[in-house]
Amino acid sequence: MGDPSNGSALSFFSDKSAKIFVAGHRGLVGSAIVRKLRHLGFTNLVLRTHLELDLTRQNDVESFFATEKPRFVILAAAKVGGIHANNTYPADFISINLQIQTNVIDSSYRHGVSKLLFLGSSCIYPKFAPQPIPEDALLTGPLEPTNEWYAVAKIAGIKMCQAYRIQYNWDAISGMPTNLYGPNDNFHPENSHVLPALMRRFHKAKVKGAKEVVVWGTGSPLREFLHVDDLADAVVFMMESYSGLGHMNVGSGKEVSIKELAELVKDVVGFEGKLVWDTSKPDGTPRKLMDSSKLAALGWTPKISLRDGLVDTYKWYLQHVEQ
Ligand SMILES: NC(=O)C1=CN([C@@H]2O[C@H](COP(=O)(O)OP(=O)(O)OC[C@H]3O[C@@H](n4cnc5c(N)ncnc54)[C@H](OP(=O)(O)O)[C@@H]3O)[C@@H](O)[C@H]2O)C=CC1
Ligand SMILES: C[C@H]1O[C@H](OP(=O)(O)OP(=O)(O)OC[C@H]2O[C@@H](n3cnc4c(=O)[nH]c(N)nc43)[C@H](O)[C@@H]2O)[C@@H](O)[C@@H](O)C1=O
């Protein structure tokens, strides 16, 4: 067995015709990764919609890998949602995510994929982790109850990548993004994350001339937001420059309270009424700022400010969702 923390000998950027399977290519993250890869000149992307290939079906995933034999895999397919969806559908969040990631990671290894990147989330860390949260805070305390089912699946994904690296010396890495937003986000009124939910609610209220908008919780929780184009940049950076046992945090390093976020979204959208706080809704984890210094030390930093990212996302929303 080789040293599991060794760097990969294979350069991701050296062959732009290498076959890459981006799982979940129509989602927020997958679509940004596809945009980035195409922009960089990659020409051989293998893409399947959920309908064409249900990644929870082990036999179908096996046949797909046996036929397509991709060289690289970026796993951005998952059951994803905000605090309400996570809290309401715990069985879906644990079972669908365990199935997708187990099928894709195992088939990738057995069908000769050279390198795989698995995406987790900042919710893997304990509810009261030290701030900013270093990678080694994993499994040091109890999880936030609103998303523990999803978090347990994501932790299993990290551990599966580590186990395959240790046992088979296989190049599987994991990235843990903070809260993301951008084009192709999910704008569902209840099941989405806070940023798209508020953008939609403020927009509808502005159009209707409503006097107030309801925002969930107390407004005091702190969150770190990263534009999905920055995340896609980090993903290709890690495919090229990182190969190791440990998972890697990917954040912006900047946090805002939900109240500050709501004021910012309200301003970008141009809603002029007032905010009303529905404190019967859960706040979730009080704070989850990640320590992304490990990735920064390798040479990656984010570029898009929250205000610029919001302006860009609202433009996209008006062109694609409100049409
Ligand atoms: N959004 C965020 O704030 C964050 C996301 N992440 C991680 O990034 C990754 C992508 O998330 P995001 O892009 O936001 O999620 P989206 O919900 O936007 O996209 C998920 C994608 O997965 C696909 N998918 C879901 N189930 C299946 C299935 N059974 N078979 C095949 N494809 C399936 C969906 O296809 P279809 O649309 O056809 O159903 C969709 O393309 C996830 O691993 C998530 O944990 C991490 C941190 C924060
Ligand atoms: C990325 C991350 O996303 C999830 O965690 P979360 O950060 O708690 O997610 P959220 O975006 O849904 O909420 C953030 C905060 O915002 C408040 N809030 C106000 N008003 C609305 C609102 O209208 N919708 C939502 N969803 N939240 C609202 C809400 O009450 C909370 O205090 C995980 O389940 C898990 O999926 C995960 O990994």
Side-chain angles (χ1 to χ4, degrees), residues 32-265:
I33 292 169
V34 167
R35 279 197 301 281
K36 182 74 191 175
L37 291 172
R38 290 198 168 129
H39 177 75
L40 291 170
F42 284 91
T43 54
N44 198 0
L45 307 186
V46 184
L47 308 170
R48 292 288 186 278
T49 65
H50 191 157
L51 267 184
E52 289 164 343
L53 174 63
D54 183 341
L55 296 169
T56 64
R57 299 173 76 97
Q58 188 182 9
N59 290 343
D60 295 354
V61 175
E62 269 294 314
S63 313
F64 165 78
F65 275 91
T67 308
E68 290 293 342
K69 295 200 174 305
R71 193 189 302 170
F72 297 106
V73 172
I74 300 173
L75 179 43
K79 172 78 182 163
V80 178
I83 194 166
H84 172 77
N86 269 270
N87 217 5
T88 312
Y89 310 108
D92 289 352
F93 276 84
I94 193 163
S95 71
I96 294 172
N97 285 315
L98 282 172
Q99 289 175 70
I100 291 176
Q101 68 204 36
T102 302
N103 292 341
V104 173
I105 295 170
D106 186 65
S107 285
S108 295
Y109 166 66
R110 281 188 298 101
H111 292 283
V113 167
S114 296
K115 181 170 191 155
L116 172 142
L117 185 145
F118 168 71
L119 285 166
S121 157
S122 57
C123 71
I124 58 163
Y125 292 113
K127 175 166 185 161
F128 299 111
Q131 307 284 327
I133 314 171
E135 282 87 355
D136 63 10
L138 184 65
L139 294 173
T140 57
L143 297 164
E144 154 60 32
T146 55
N147 57 35
E148 66 176 304
W149 321 98
Y150 175 74
V152 164
K154 293 294 185 183
I155 293 168
I158 297 173
K159 291 293 167 192
M160 193 161 164
C161 290
Q162 290 178 345
Y164 278 54
R165 179 178 289 273
I166 290 167
Q167 187 171 337
Y168 304 125
N169 198 25
W170 183 52
D171 196 4
I173 59 172
S174 301
M176 296 305 116
T178 187
N179 292 43
L180 304 169
Y181 69 98
N184 290 316
D185 209 341
N186 165 15
F187 291 88
H188 189 278
E190 279 90 39
N191 293 334
S192 65
H193 289 105
V194 60
L195 193 154
L198 292 186
M199 187 168 281
R200 178 183 195 274
R201 212 170 294 147
F202 284 130
H203 176 80
K204 301 274 183 213
K206 180 178 85 170
V207 169
K208 268 212 232 142
K211 298 259 178 305
E212 52 186 45
V213 155
V214 174
V215 187
W216 299 355
T218 61
S220 66
L222 296 164
R223 292 290 183 273
E224 178 190 21
F225 292 94
L226 182 73
H227 192 282
V228 74
D229 286 344
D230 271 337
L231 175 73
D233 192 51
V235 163
V236 298
F237 177 85
M238 287 188 282
M239 287 299 285
E240 174 69 14
S241 308
Y242 180 62
S243 176
L245 194 61
H247 62 281
M248 190 71 85
N249 287 346
V250 190
S252 62
K254 306 225 160 55
E255 61 182 348
V256 290
S257 69
I258 294 302
K259 182 167 188 307
E260 287 164 333
L261 176 78
E263 294 291 352
L264 196 55
V265 178

Side-chain angles (χ1 to χ4, degrees), residues 13-30:
F13 288 145
S14 67
D15 179 4
K16 298 283 173 65
S17 65
K19 192 180 270 191
I20 306 171
F21 174 41
V22 181
H25 72 284
R26 290 197 303 186
L28 169 70
V29 171

